[in-house]
Amino acid sequence: MPLQSIAPQRLYRQIADQLRALIAQGEFAVGARLPAERELAVQLGVSRPSVREALIALEVEGWVEVRTGSGVYVLERERRAATPVAETEWGPLELIRARRVVEGETAAIAAQQRKRTHLDAMARAIDTMRELADRKVMPLEGDRAFHLAIVEACDNQVLSETVQGFWDSRRGPIFTRLGGYFETVPSWRMAIAEHEAIRAAIAARDEAAARAAMHTHMDKSHQRFSASWRRAKELSST
């Protein structure tokens, strides 16, 4: 009998597969509300962020609908506008935690090695972020430029390609859908202030402060994406 290779699955995909199977088997009827994130996390023995990533994946694929402030509901089959999620796509919240590890160190290295050109690039990126936020446009262009300016100061191609890879993953459908719920003009203004703190520490050549400022930025980003769905509804109305 020919055997097929077994590929490791990302945790959120395993959770999504279980929930999808239960929906297909009728355990959750059309129109039914799924258990709350907290309850699913306890039953599955996983973290709430992993459950959230799975629910977003199921929404992207057309199995459920997230109604902010109300819950997650099973869709009728004819209403499913499926968008395939690549098996290789990273979970957004897991990605942020990985970025915290890597980019905390790139910020520290940048504080040691930065040149005026790098600081100028960071300043321009922050200006771009502020300009786009003022126009109520998600300032991803400036955000990406800021983080790439930091890693360019490290003068390490492997680190540069790693951080660029993080940003390419940020464009995936799960991250995009999650951002649609939790990224707002007020949240971006907070992120801009966090970027300014990182640049100030790098400009001062303070390695420890640069690392801490980046860790704070990533921790707060994780918190923003982990907020309650009710909070997401409040943010969307501001």
Side-chain angles (χ1 to χ4, degrees):
M1 179 189 305
L3 297 176
Q4 296 182 351
S5 61
I6 299 175
Q9 260 197 322
R10 306 191 190 287
L11 180 57
Y12 81 86
R13 297 239 29 127
Q14 296 179 51
I15 299 168
D17 287 348
Q18 283 201 49
L19 294 174
R20 191 187 303 105
L22 290 172
I23 293 172
Q25 293 164 15
E27 287 291 331
F28 299 115
V30 170
R33 184 172 65 181
L34 296 185
E37 280 181 4
R38 186 186 300 276
E39 184 180 343
L40 288 172
V42 170
Q43 291 184 18
L44 292 164
V46 297
S47 68
R48 288 182 67 182
S50 294
V51 171
R52 173 160 297 186
E53 291 168 344
L55 293 174
I56 292 294
L58 288 175
E59 185 181 36
V60 169
E61 293 173 346
W63 287 85
V64 300
E65 176 185 20
V66 175
R67 300 176 192 169
T68 54
S70 178
V72 181
Y73 295 82
V74 178
L75 284 177
E76 297 177 5
R77 187 174 299 276
E78 55 269 22
R79 289 187 59 197
R80 293 177 190 163
T83 300
V85 175
E87 295 286 339
T88 55
E89 183 169 349
W90 290 332
L93 296 167
E94 190 175 37
L95 174 60
I96 291 171
R97 302 308 293 172
R99 288 185 61 192
R100 184 187 192 276
V101 174
V102 175
E103 295 193 56
E105 293 310 305
T106 61
I109 295 170
Q112 297 173 335
Q113 302 182 180
R114 96 296 186 280
K115 297 177 182 176
R116 172 51 58 183
T117 55
H118 300 123
L119 294 176
D120 290 345
M122 292 175 214
R124 287 195 301 272
I126 291 173
D127 287 343
T128 298
M129 290 180 71
R130 190 177 292 109
E131 177 190 346
L132 291 171
D134 287 345
R135 290 162 42 199
K136 300 183 187 276
V137 175
M138 292 301 176
L140 296 179
E141 175 187 344
D143 194 9
R144 182 179 190 276
F146 179 83
H147 289 275
L148 292 186
I150 291 175
V151 76
E152 284 170 8
C154 299
D155 194 26
N156 184 300
Q157 191 62 30
V158 175
L159 287 174
S160 292
E161 291 182 7
T162 298
V163 173
Q164 289 179 45
F166 287 157
W167 269 94
D168 290 341
S169 296
R170 200 194 187 293
R171 298 192 183 105
I174 298 180
F175 212 131
T176 300
R177 183 64 62 91
L178 192 62
Y181 289 118
F182 295 99
E183 290 184 306
T184 63
V185 172
S187 75
W188 274 111
R189 294 203 190 285
M190 288 187 282
I192 289 168
E194 293 156 19
H195 284 72
E196 290 172 333
I198 296 167
R199 183 187 180 278
I202 293 174
R205 296 193 185 277
D206 190 331
E207 175 184 349
R211 181 186 293 110
M214 183 64 79
H215 285 170
T216 296
H217 171 48
M218 292 300 169
D219 289 343
K220 289 185 178 297
S221 295
H222 195 280
Q223 290 169 13
R224 286 189 280 269
F225 282 112
S226 301
S228 69
W229 292 110
R230 187 173 301 279
R231 178 62 178 155
K233 185 176 183 179
E234 293 170 358
L235 289 172
S236 66
S237 63
T238 59

